[in-house]
Amino acid sequence: MSKKCIGIDIGGTSVKIGLFELDGTLMDKWEVPTSKENNGESILKDIAVSIKAKLKEKALILSDIAGAGMGLPGPVSPDGYVEVCVNLGWRDRYPERELSQLLEGVPVKSGNDANVAALGEMWQGGGKGVKDLVTVTLGTGVGGGVILNEKIVSGSHGVGGEIGHIHVRDGETEKCNCGGIGCLEQVASATGIAREARRMMATSEEPSLLREKGDQVTAKDVLDAAKAGDRLADAVVETASRYLGLVLAQVSMTVDPERFVIGGGVSKAGDFLIERIWKYYDFYTPISKNKASIGLALLGNDAGIYGAARLILD
């Protein structure tokens, strides 16, 4: 029987787990609750128990597993050390070592969840077939991941790929969640797009469908209205797209990927958004006609388990 591998994506609410063939075929996936009591003491134990139960169900044993990978919500040092995972309550842990012991010596590797998701998109998603890509996740915040030569680039301090916190807007007065001011996340995330719409409604008398939503307006409302020809909503999308295009150009000039893969809830706007971003990205990269393409992520919430499983093939 051929070896299998396991991908684990640890989130603040649930842990997603996938059982894979080594060629990336997903055999099964399931979830367990993230138990954060006592600073997340039982999280890894719960994962190990769940994996053993699934293997028994599949008539497999631990020696059939080539390894397990984990995506963690925080920076991960090259030696597997995790200084802090705020959403889990972890501090000063070596989760790779701990889970390997719980799985009786099965090799375990880990990485930051955003970077691991990027690896998943490269392996079996929107970046399949390329070796160098950058993912941009437009959700509540703006996340990112850099993959070069099929390897995660997390940097010396674990903040590689944090493109949501690149400064883009001078004159901003509100602070970002990171403590900075004028970050990409403040204008191009789902929350940022909604905030931009509220600001524009407050400072403009332009008629708009969004005014019916008032302070409850969402990024989806903005994108839907823009698609319908609403001028105020269109201006909001144009602003977000301009800053996204600018940052992609800056990243392109730094790491020169083959492809940018855009994911997250905001990316559901599809080509309508991609074409806007491309317009500005192309404008800000006149140095060469040969440049990265921009496409959509394909794996959705499964990107983390795919990328985690891919970790053990390195």
Side-chain angles (χ1 to χ4, degrees), residues 22-202:
L22 295 184
D23 64 0
T25 301
L26 178 62
M27 298 173 61
D28 200 354
K29 65 178 180 178
W30 66 101
E31 296 185 18
V32 297
T34 303
S35 178
K36 292 185 281 189
E37 291 81 5
N38 299 317
N39 294 320
E41 181 181 358
S42 71
I43 293 173
L44 294 175
K45 294 176 185 176
D46 293 344
I47 291 170
V49 168
S50 180
I51 288 172
K52 289 176 181 178
K54 181 61 67 172
L55 293 181
K56 185 176 181 180
E57 175 190 317
K58 299 290 186 181
L60 297 169
I61 57 177
L62 286 171
S63 61
D64 293 322
I65 304 302
M70 289 189 291
L72 305 175
V76 181
S77 298
D79 63 355
Y81 170 68
V82 172
E83 181 178 2
V84 62
C85 279
V86 176
N87 291 339
L88 304 181
W90 286 0
R91 286 190 179 275
D92 298 317
R93 300 280 295 267
Y94 285 89
E96 293 179 12
R97 185 186 306 167
E98 295 174 47
L99 184 59
S100 180
Q101 290 172 349
L102 290 166
L103 294 177
E104 301 173 26
V106 170
V108 178
K109 293 184 179 181
S110 63
N112 169 265
D113 53 4
N115 291 332
V116 167
L119 191 65
E121 287 290 345
M122 180 214 72
W123 191 30
Q124 298 294 333
K128 190 171 184 178
V130 305
K131 295 184 177 181
D132 304 320
L133 83 156
V134 174
T135 59
V136 183
T137 305
L138 305 175
T140 304
V142 174
V146 179
I147 307 294
L148 296 180
N149 197 24
E150 300 186 354
K151 307 287 185 183
I152 291 173
V153 179
S154 56
S156 298
H157 309 97
V159 296
E162 290 285 358
I163 68 169
H165 300 293
I166 293 176
H167 176 86
V168 295
R169 176 183 264 175
D170 293 334
E172 178 60 65
T173 56
E174 295 180 20
K175 280 193 174 183
C176 177
N177 290 331
C178 73
I181 297 177
C183 294
L184 177 66
E185 182 168 297
Q186 290 181 279
V187 67
S189 64
T191 51
I193 289 170
R195 186 189 72 145
E196 193 71 14
R198 290 193 298 271
R199 281 183 168 184
M200 201 167 289
M201 285 189 286

